[in-house]
């Protein structure tokens, strides 16, 4: 039966309408996979010698065990944000004599072949080999440790399965668990209750008693059965209809009517963001990135540099980038209907520009507490916000004219490349590199004030030219209207 399922999946992949349309994206993902594989392999090879060099009086294996729990927690977070869970179309199978359990087992088995399950081996195997060669541990003990550690990594795989299925649709429900983790981290930091030490001692005991390596395997089986039971309960087309009906929202944003001719489009965009998973996440991500400056502005003796321009662009323009780069893909489900109406494209684009501009203003206001690190930091953030409004907003709208990939609004945003094409990758360069380059050259040959003044001037010019730019963009969108409509009809990613 597994052979049949694999054959069906293989045919579905190669016969997909979208196969071959995202070759550039596939090549990029392959290069990223090779990069991470190489990076993990370098860590695995260098970990034992580095621990010996920096901690000559401590056992490298015990040091790794000491921080193994932290590694597993980070791996779970990494998987939750990036790993896409395997799926299978069950609709054609429901009227066939196919046992539910076999389909569920196939889906769970598919998750084991994920690239994320291969990455830990690039660290575990080289480090284990060094332990066998360099340390006094018996080979059987190191092999048991390697077996147990990889089993724990697979446990994280199935734990991620449970967490995503339960909390992806309702991130607020995850808050109690985040609070518990924060409390444990605080207790660890103040050395009140060091759970990492206890976990490390448990791994040390597993090394001393190799047969205990089967304990993680038992935990793995429990998590597998848990997922199996949960998926079998949802093996119906209408399994989640009742829950989705409860989640319906009736907000109508009447207050947007005061914005005149662009009000209907603005109201539609706000409803789209408020009621759908993927666009709503762009708001959460933008609010999260407001704190991004704390990673750089708190560095002591830090001189103003072009790099901080990129930080300012990101802090004030994260929503602009994440939402704006997919315009008009957010409306792909009903874009043909919009184009069939007697609606001026200029008004449609003006509403998009207005929404993004408003987001930049809000994020700029939220970033004002950075004045604590100096007036230059606050000035730079405000100038970057002005540059975003005047230059980057029209640039994003122009890049949007090349979008022709459909977006499903209710899908998870994590590791979701649906709607992503060459335009999304290329537009990131001018959005951040150009202002950095302009600032660096002007600051180098003139001074900081001149560099700030030039970015401000460009932003103001962009604002004054916006009416003409919107007319130009409306013409571009009109020329590519039928290409975009045809692309949005494709249901594949």
């Amino acid at each position: 039966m597994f052979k049949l399922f694999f054959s069906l999946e293989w045919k579905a992949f190669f016969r997909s309408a979208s196969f071959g349309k995202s070759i550039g994206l596939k090549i990029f993902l392959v290069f990223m996979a090779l990069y991470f594989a190489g990076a993990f392999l370098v860590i695995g090879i260098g970990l034992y010698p580095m621990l010996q060099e920096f901690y000559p009086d401590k056992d490298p294996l015990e040091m790794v065990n000491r921080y193994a729990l932290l590694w597993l927690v980070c791996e779970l977070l990494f998987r939750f944000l990036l790993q896409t869970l395997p799926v299978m179309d069950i609709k054609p199978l429901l009227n066939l004599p196919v046992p539910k359990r076999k389909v569920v087992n196939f889906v769970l088995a598919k998750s084991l072949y994920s690239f994320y399950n291969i990455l830990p081996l690039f660290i575990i195997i080289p480090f284990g080999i060094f332990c066998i060669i360099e340390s006094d541990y018996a080979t059987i003990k190191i092999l048991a440790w390697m077996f147990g550690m990889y089993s724990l990594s697979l446990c994280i795989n199935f734990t991620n399965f449970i967490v995503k299925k339960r909390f992806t649709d309702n991130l607020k429900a995850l808050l109690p668990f985040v609070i518990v983790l924060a409390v444990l981290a605080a207790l660890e930091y103040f050395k009140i209750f060091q759970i990492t030490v206890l976990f490390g001692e448990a791994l040390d005991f597993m090394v001393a008693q190799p047969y205990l390596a089967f304990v993680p395997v038992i935990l793995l089986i429990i998590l597998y059965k848990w997922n199996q039971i949960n998926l079998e309960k949802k093996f119906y087309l209408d399994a989640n209809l009742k829950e989705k009906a409860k989640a319906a929202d009736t907000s109508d944003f009447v207050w947007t009517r005061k914005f005149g001719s662009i009000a209907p489009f603005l109201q539609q965009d706000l409803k789209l963001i408020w009621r759908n998973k993927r666009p709503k996440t762009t708001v959460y991500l933008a609010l999260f990135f407001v704190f991004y400056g704390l990673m750089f502005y708190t560095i002591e003796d830090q001189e103003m540099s072009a790099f901080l321009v990129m930080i300012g662009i990101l802090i004030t323009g994260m929503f602009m980038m994440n939402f704006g780069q997919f315009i008009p893909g957010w409306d792909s489900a009903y874009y043909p209907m919009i184009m069939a109406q007697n609606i001026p494209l200029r008004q449609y684009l003006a509403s998009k520009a207005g929404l993004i501009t408003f987001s930049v203003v809000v994020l700029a206001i939220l970033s004002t507490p950075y004045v604590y690190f100096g007036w230059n930091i606050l000035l730079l953030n405000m100038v970057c916000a002005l540059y975003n409004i005047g230059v980057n907003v029209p640039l994003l709208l122009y890049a949007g004219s090349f979008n022709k990939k459909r977006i499903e609004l209710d899908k998870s945003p994590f590791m979701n490349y649906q709607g992503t094409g060459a335009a999304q990758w290329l537009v990131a360069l001018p959005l951040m590199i150009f202002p950095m380059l302009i600032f660096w050259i002007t600051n180098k040959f003139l001074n900081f004030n001149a560099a700030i003044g030039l970015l401000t001037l460009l932003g103001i010019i962009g604002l004054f030219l916006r009416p003409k730019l919107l007319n130009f963009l409306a013409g571009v969108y009109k020329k590519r209207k039928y290409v975009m409509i045809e692309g949005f009809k494709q249901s594949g990613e």
Side-chain angles (χ1 to χ4, degrees):
M1 188 63 72
F2 270 40
K3 184 179 179 181
L4 174 61
F5 291 153
F6 179 78
S7 175
L8 293 174
E9 293 280 298
W10 185 264
K11 291 176 182 178
F13 175 74
F14 282 101
R15 295 176 182 177
S16 170
S18 63
F19 180 76
K21 295 183 180 180
S22 303
I23 297 298
L25 178 60
K26 292 181 175 65
I27 294 174
F28 173 78
L29 292 177
V30 169
F31 275 109
M32 289 298 294
L34 293 175
Y35 168 79
F36 278 107
F40 274 58
L41 183 61
V42 169
I43 294 174
I45 294 174
L47 185 58
Y48 193 95
M50 284 193 300
L51 291 175
Q52 275 189 322
E53 180 178 352
F54 290 106
Y55 303 97
D57 56 336
K58 295 184 178 180
D59 183 9
L61 183 58
E62 291 182 358
M63 289 289 294
V64 169
N65 289 343
R66 169 70 169 75
Y67 295 100
L69 181 60
L70 181 61
W71 161 264
L72 293 174
V73 171
C74 291
E75 183 178 349
L76 177 59
L77 178 62
F78 183 76
R79 287 175 181 267
F80 180 77
L81 294 175
L82 300 179
Q83 186 177 8
T84 302
L85 298 182
V87 294
M88 186 173 183
D89 185 10
I90 65 171
K91 184 177 179 180
L93 304 175
L94 291 178
N95 60 345
L96 296 176
V98 178
K100 290 192 296 185
R101 175 151 295 188
K102 288 191 176 182
V103 179
V104 170
N105 286 338
F106 177 74
V107 172
L108 293 175
K110 278 177 62 178
S111 70
L112 294 175
Y113 293 96
S114 170
F115 177 70
Y116 296 93
N117 292 329
I118 299 175
L119 281 178
L121 293 175
F122 288 102
I123 294 180
I124 294 173
I125 293 177
F127 181 78
I129 293 173
F130 269 97
C131 288
I132 292 173
I133 297 174
E134 301 289 340
S135 69
D136 297 328
Y137 290 103
T139 301
I140 186 64
K141 293 184 177 182
I142 300 300
L143 292 176
W145 177 85
M146 294 167 65
F147 180 74
M149 283 300 299
Y150 188 62
S151 297
L152 288 174
S153 182
L154 294 181
C155 287
I156 296 299
N157 174 71
F158 289 117
T159 302
N160 179 52
F161 224 110
I162 297 169
V163 171
K164 273 206 167 186
K165 287 294 182 182
R166 185 171 181 180
F167 298 112
T168 300
D169 292 332
N170 186 14
L171 292 177
K172 294 179 181 178
L174 195 59
L175 186 60
F177 297 92
V178 174
I179 293 175
V180 170
L181 287 177
V183 171
L184 290 175
L187 294 175
E188 178 80 22
Y189 179 80
F190 292 108
K191 298 182 179 180
I192 299 173
F193 177 70
Q194 294 182 287
I195 189 172
T196 57
V197 174
L198 295 176
F199 190 82
E201 291 175 350
L203 291 179
D204 292 339
F205 190 65
M206 184 183 73
V207 173
Q209 307 293 333
Y211 63 87
L212 293 178
F214 287 99
V215 173
V217 177
I218 296 173
L219 178 60
L220 179 63
I221 294 173
I222 293 173
L223 290 171
Y224 183 93
K225 294 297 293 184
W226 188 350
N227 279 288
Q228 186 185 70
I229 294 171
N230 285 340
L231 291 179
E232 285 180 357
K233 290 180 180 178
K234 298 180 180 180
F235 199 85
Y236 304 97
L237 289 180
D238 58 349
N240 295 317
L241 288 182
K242 187 176 181 181
E243 180 181 351
K244 289 184 179 180
K246 290 181 180 179
D249 197 301
T250 57
S251 301
D252 54 7
F253 299 98
V254 178
W255 55 269
T256 58
R257 294 175 184 174
K258 66 178 69 175
F259 291 98
S261 61
I262 68 171
F265 305 106
L266 188 60
Q267 188 179 71
Q268 186 69 25
D269 283 333
L270 291 174
K271 289 179 180 178
L272 180 144
I273 294 171
W274 186 258
R275 298 174 180 177
N276 295 281
K277 185 192 310 181
R278 185 169 175 183
K280 187 185 290 187
T281 306
T282 62
V283 178
Y284 297 147
L285 187 62
L287 295 175
F288 174 78
F289 258 82
V290 171
F291 302 97
Y292 191 59
L294 295 175
M295 299 174 59
F296 303 96
Y297 297 154
T298 55
I299 300 176
E300 296 181 0
D301 300 326
Q302 180 175 240
E303 297 181 357
M304 191 63 63
S305 66
F307 178 73
L308 296 185
V309 173
M310 184 187 73
I311 306 302
I313 294 290
L314 286 173
I315 289 175
T316 61
M318 182 50 61
F319 178 83
M320 173 195 74
M321 294 181 185
N322 282 291
F323 185 83
Q325 67 175 329
F326 293 110
I327 292 174
W330 300 113
D331 305 322
S332 56
Y334 46 85
Y335 193 74
M337 183 272 293
I338 294 177
M339 293 296 101
Q341 304 298 315
N342 187 21
I343 298 174
L345 269 172
R346 189 186 184 283
Q347 290 183 12
Y348 174 79
L349 295 174
S351 70
K352 304 291 185 184
L355 176 63
I356 298 173
T357 299
F358 178 74
S359 74
V360 174
V361 173
V362 171
L363 292 175
I365 293 173
L366 292 178
S367 69
T368 52
Y370 282 124
V371 69
Y372 174 80
F373 301 108
W375 287 101
N376 283 346
I377 298 295
L378 177 63
L379 178 62
L380 188 64
N381 278 348
M382 296 301 108
V383 169
C384 287
L386 182 60
Y387 182 89
N388 277 332
I389 294 172
V391 180
N392 283 343
V393 169
L395 185 61
L396 272 174
L397 292 177
Y398 177 75
S401 67
F402 297 94
N403 290 343
K404 54 181 181 179
K405 295 195 174 184
R406 186 182 182 90
I407 293 179
E408 299 295 340
L409 300 175
D410 59 343
K411 285 192 174 182
S412 172
F414 301 115
M415 205 60 181
N416 186 351
Y417 293 100
Q418 189 183 54
T420 304
Q424 280 69 41
W425 298 109
L426 295 176
V427 75
L429 297 176
L431 287 178
M432 293 183 290
I433 300 301
F434 283 1
M436 287 178 61
L437 188 61
I438 292 170
F439 181 91
W440 181 78
I441 293 175
T442 310
N443 189 36
K444 182 176 179 63
F445 293 100
L446 295 176
N447 53 49
F448 171 77
N449 291 331
I452 287 291
L454 183 55
L455 290 180
T456 303
L457 180 62
L458 291 174
I460 294 174
I461 291 174
L463 279 174
F464 276 108
L465 293 178
R466 177 166 290 188
K468 293 184 178 180
L469 290 173
L470 287 175
N471 290 332
F472 167 75
L473 291 170
V476 175
Y477 273 71
K478 187 175 181 180
K479 289 180 181 178
R480 293 186 53 81
K481 177 171 70 173
Y482 297 105
V483 176
M484 297 164 75
I485 290 174
E486 181 63 28
F488 291 151
K489 288 180 181 179
Q490 299 291 330
S491 60
E493 296 183 7

